[in-house]
């Protein structure tokens, strides 16, 4: 069993919150649980609509899926949501080009499956260590993977917010899947770049490793991001695994 909390905050610099969060510790369709963070983009209210609409379409598709394999459930749900969001973007001129990042997690016993598009992230925090499970689809992330930038240089790069893949921009999209083993007693953090651009991984690890409730930890993460400038919306979904249940 796991315990989760989902929080989002507009931050200190933006007038509108274009991040959207979802968390269910109970089954959604044939998935035992479901956690999502989406970071919308687009002018006016388009980014706000993109993130919420995409998440709702994914939840809807998963809820009625007859598939039993988590990977197929997620792939089909994301494809469905992408196409529906792309169709929505064509309805009005102000919606043109709207899209959203996406990071998704489901935990099935001692195994888990994550999926992402864009630069919202999934971290595992266990035994005082932090590990990024998802891979950013961004210009600077590609430069780091190619050895052209160091992680430190990427963090300060002026183009660090340029993403190379998003949901809803085209009628088809590609999502990366990450199956992994769940560590007993560990915590899993889904978040938007409004957190990771404001708070270093080492500080995220320190905060999440505290022996406090997931609600208190999530609140402190958002507080720290705002204290460090709060230049963007902040989205946090924190999942804590009950170590006594892992392996059952």
């Amino acid at each position: 069993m796991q315990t989760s909390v989902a929080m989002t905050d507009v931050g200190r610099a933006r007038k509108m919150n274009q991040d959207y969060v979802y968390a269910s510790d109970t089954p959604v369709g044939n998935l035992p649980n479901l956690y999502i963070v989406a970071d919308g983009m687009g002018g006016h209210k388009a980014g706000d609509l993109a993130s919420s609409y995409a998440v709702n379409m994914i939840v809807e598709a998963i809820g009625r899926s007859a598939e039993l394999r988590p990977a197929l459930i997620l792939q089909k749900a994301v494809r469905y949501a992408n196409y529906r969001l792309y169709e929505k973007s064509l309805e009005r001129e102000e919606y043109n080009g709207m899209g959203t990042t996406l990071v998704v997690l489901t935990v099935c016993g001692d195994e888990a499956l994550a999926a992402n598009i864009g630069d919202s992230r999934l971290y595992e925090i266990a035994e005082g260590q932090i590990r990024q499970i998802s891979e950013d689809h961004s210009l600077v992330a590609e430069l780091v993977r190619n050895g052209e930038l160091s992680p430190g240089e990427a963090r300060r790069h002026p183009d660090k917010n340029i993403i190379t893949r998003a949901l809803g921009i085209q009628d088809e999209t590609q999502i990366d899947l990450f199956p992994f083993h769940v560590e007993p007693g560990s915590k899993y953090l889904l978040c938007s770049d409004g957190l990771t651009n404001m708070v270093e991984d080492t500080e995220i690890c320190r905060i999440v490793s505290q022996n406090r409730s997931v609600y208190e930890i999530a609140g402190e993460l958002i507080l720290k991001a705002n204290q460090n400038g709060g230049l963007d919306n902040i989205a946090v979904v924190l999942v804590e695994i009950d170590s006594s249940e892992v392996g059952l």
Side-chain angles (χ1 to χ4, degrees), residues 221-235:
L221 288 170
I222 289 174
L223 177 64
K224 182 61 69 173
N226 279 323
Q227 287 176 339
N228 290 348
L231 299 180
D232 200 353
N233 309 143
I234 309 149

Side-chain angles (χ1 to χ4, degrees), residues 80-144:
Y80 170 76
N82 180 78
Y83 188 72
R84 290 292 303 273
L85 183 58
Y86 177 72
E87 282 187 321
K88 177 69 71 174
S89 74
L90 303 178
E91 289 181 3
R92 299 184 187 179
E93 185 177 346
E94 61 264 33
Y95 292 169
N96 286 350
M98 73 177 180
T100 184
T101 70
L102 186 75
V103 60
V104 185
L105 172 69
T106 186
V107 181
C108 311
D110 59 358
E111 298 295 326
L113 181 66
N116 85 294
I117 297 174
D119 62 356
S120 292
R121 294 178 178 175
L122 171 67
Y123 290 99
E124 177 186 72
I125 297 95
E127 299 180 347
Q129 301 293 319
I130 186 168
R131 174 172 75 99
Q132 183 178 336
I133 293 173
S134 60
E135 289 187 359
D136 294 356
H137 301 132
S138 68
L139 178 63
V140 295
E142 290 186 3
L143 293 173
V144 170

Side-chain angles (χ1 to χ4, degrees), residues 26 31 34 57 64 66 77 96 100 102 119 140 144 155 175-176 180 222 231 240:
T26 56
L31 294 182
L34 184 63
M57 289 300 99
R64 56 181 168 76
N96 286 350
T100 184
L102 186 75
D119 62 356
V140 295
V144 170
R155 190 172 182 84
I175 187 166
D176 288 349
F180 62 96
I222 289 174
L231 299 180
E240 182 174 24

Side-chain angles (χ1 to χ4, degrees), residues 13 67 129 142 146 149 160 167 175 186:
E67 293 287 351
Q129 301 293 319
E142 290 186 3
N146 292 335
L149 280 180
K160 66 181 179 180
L167 197 75
I175 187 166
S186 57

Side-chain angles (χ1 to χ4, degrees), residues 173-208:
T173 193
Q174 180 184 351
I175 187 166
D176 288 349
L177 296 176
F178 302 92
F180 62 96
H181 183 74
V182 171
E183 296 298 329
S186 57
K187 298 186 181 85
Y188 295 91
L189 173 67
L190 298 83
C191 58
S192 64
D193 66 348
L195 177 69
T196 54
N197 283 340
M198 292 291 102
V199 186
E200 298 275 0
D201 284 9
T202 52
E203 182 68 358
I204 290 174
C205 183
R206 184 194 68 79
I207 293 170
V208 176

Side-chain angles (χ1 to χ4, degrees), residues 24-50:
S24 176
D25 294 327
T26 56
V28 178
N30 289 327
L31 294 182
N33 44 65
L34 184 63
Y35 310 98
I36 308 174
V37 163
D39 180 358
M41 55 195 175
H44 306 291
K45 285 197 170 183
D48 176 39
L49 173 65

